[in-house]
Amino acid sequence: MKFAISYSTPFNGTDPDRLTAFAVHAEDSGFEGLYLPDHIALYPGAIYGGNELPSTLPYFDPLDSLSFVAASTRRILLGTGVLLLPYRHPVILAKRLATIDVLSGGRMRLLTVGLGFLPGEAQATGVDFATRGRRADEAIDVMRLLWSGGPEGVGYHGEFFDFDNLCSFPKPQGASELPIHIGGSSRAAARRTGRRGDGYFAGGMLPEPERDIQWDLAKATAVEAGRDPAALEYTRWGTIDMTAEQVEASAARGVTRIVVGLQPGDPGQQLDKMSEFAERFGLVAELQNQHS
């Protein structure tokens, strides 16, 4: 099992020193990666899970934040949970992601993308909410095409994106493309994982039987698409106080990575809880074994 951790500026605030200290401590504690959430814009009346989202929640741009964190860390992988893909142009996004990957020494490797659930956010970015799934599918294809393309250029002609002889440099460090995980809590997201994703980051408040159905659907869709289902990673949310028995139960369901969330609170207490978790699961020892 791999363990990563999430940092939420809506709950922890926008102090850059706090973000840096959190990331450095996560790295020193042996966590594999650091994830940041995403919203481009909120508005009064935005509803999530039956509750209104405060429109003043301070969401940092996750990619700018990860680039900032990369300057203070050496090993920890950089992730999004989730980046709202339909609201960003894939040609620009491919360049931004490759740049972060190169500047960080090849650590922009936990990109997770989702569709978003706020119609007003789609409208504000000029995107038809009803077509955001198809737009995201094309965006994934466009980014991979640009990353793998050579100096002769590549072309793409789709419903939303259209270009000829386009070159995008630099490339991701030492790789022909960056992994793209699919985030979501629907069967459509599971199918998207099977067709295009490198892994599934399951979210939402769903019963375990439905989660099992979605994971099986992702693997079955991969087989139908001629892809290797065994190559898919399966990421789930966890809590900082979860037990070894809970981790074992997740592993039995096929989970390969757990992203731990922390409750808002005193920064020092958060770091202490992070250390306790790392000690409970031997993350530092595992990290030392990897480098020995």
Side-chain angles (χ1 to χ4, degrees):
M1 184 69 71
K2 302 172 184 177
F3 295 97
I5 198 159
S6 176
Y7 187 89
S8 175
T9 57
F11 300 115
N12 294 326
T14 58
D15 180 356
D17 292 336
R18 179 171 179 173
L19 170 59
T20 298
F22 189 98
V24 170
H25 193 76
E27 178 172 81
D28 292 343
S29 297
F31 285 89
E32 175 205 25
L34 175 73
Y35 284 76
L36 269 80
D38 180 34
H39 272 295
I40 297 173
L42 299 178
Y43 49 91
I47 301 297
Y48 174 64
N51 299 310
E52 184 172 346
L53 280 174
S55 55
T56 56
L57 289 177
Y59 280 91
F60 271 170
D61 180 277
L63 299 186
D64 290 338
S65 301
L66 292 170
S67 182
F68 174 78
V69 162
S72 300
T73 54
R74 307 172 309 280
R75 176 198 58 82
I76 198 164
L77 300 183
L78 310 173
T80 57
V82 297
L83 187 77
L84 302 182
L85 181 57
Y87 310 148
R88 292 175 168 87
H89 198 290
V91 175
I92 298 172
L93 186 57
K95 170 62 69 71
R96 292 190 68 196
L97 290 166
T99 299
I100 296 171
D101 192 64
V102 172
L103 291 176
S104 66
R107 291 189 281 142
M108 187 67 246
R109 301 303 167 98
L110 294 176
L111 171 70
T112 307
V113 301
L115 300 188
F117 55 84
L118 298 178
E121 198 167 22
Q123 181 180 9
T125 55
V127 171
D128 176 11
F129 189 74
T131 65
R132 70 196 193 286
R134 300 200 306 273
R135 181 181 290 267
D137 288 343
E138 283 196 13
I140 292 171
D141 295 344
V142 165
M143 289 193 296
R144 287 189 170 138
L145 182 65
L146 290 171
W147 287 330
S148 61
E152 70 283 358
V154 294
Y156 185 89
H157 307 285
E159 180 182 1
F160 303 99
F161 308 106
D162 188 279
F163 54 83
D164 287 300
N165 304 322
L166 202 62
C167 299
S168 184
F169 288 83
K171 304 300 184 184
Q173 180 165 306
S176 59
E177 60 186 48
L178 295 176
I180 301 176
H181 297 249
I182 307 300
S185 55
S186 67
R187 297 186 184 185
R191 287 190 290 268
R192 181 169 291 107
T193 298
R195 291 193 301 266
R196 286 178 167 84
D198 292 289
Y200 188 33
F201 191 160
M205 302 293 291
L206 300 176
E208 290 298 334
E210 174 61 23
R211 293 194 184 280
D212 292 340
I213 289 172
Q214 290 185 14
W215 180 231
D216 289 342
L217 180 59
K219 293 183 290 184
T221 306
V223 172
E224 294 172 2
R227 306 177 71 221
D228 180 8
L232 296 177
E233 294 191 86
Y234 186 19
T235 302
R236 289 273 296 273
W237 286 104
T239 61
I240 199 68
D241 58 354
M242 66 189 310
T243 64
E245 290 75 20
Q246 289 173 313
V247 171
E248 290 170 2
S250 295
R253 292 181 178 274
V255 177
T256 55
R257 177 182 296 102
I258 290 174
V259 180
V260 176
L262 280 163
Q263 293 296 319
D266 175 77
Q269 291 178 350
Q270 285 187 331
L271 300 188
D272 289 343
K273 288 182 178 295
M274 199 188 302
S275 296
E276 292 168 3
F277 183 96
E279 182 176 355
R280 186 159 68 250
F281 291 101
L283 302 191
V284 174
E286 178 65 24
L287 180 62
Q288 291 173 341
N289 291 336
Q290 293 175 5
H291 293 278
S292 61

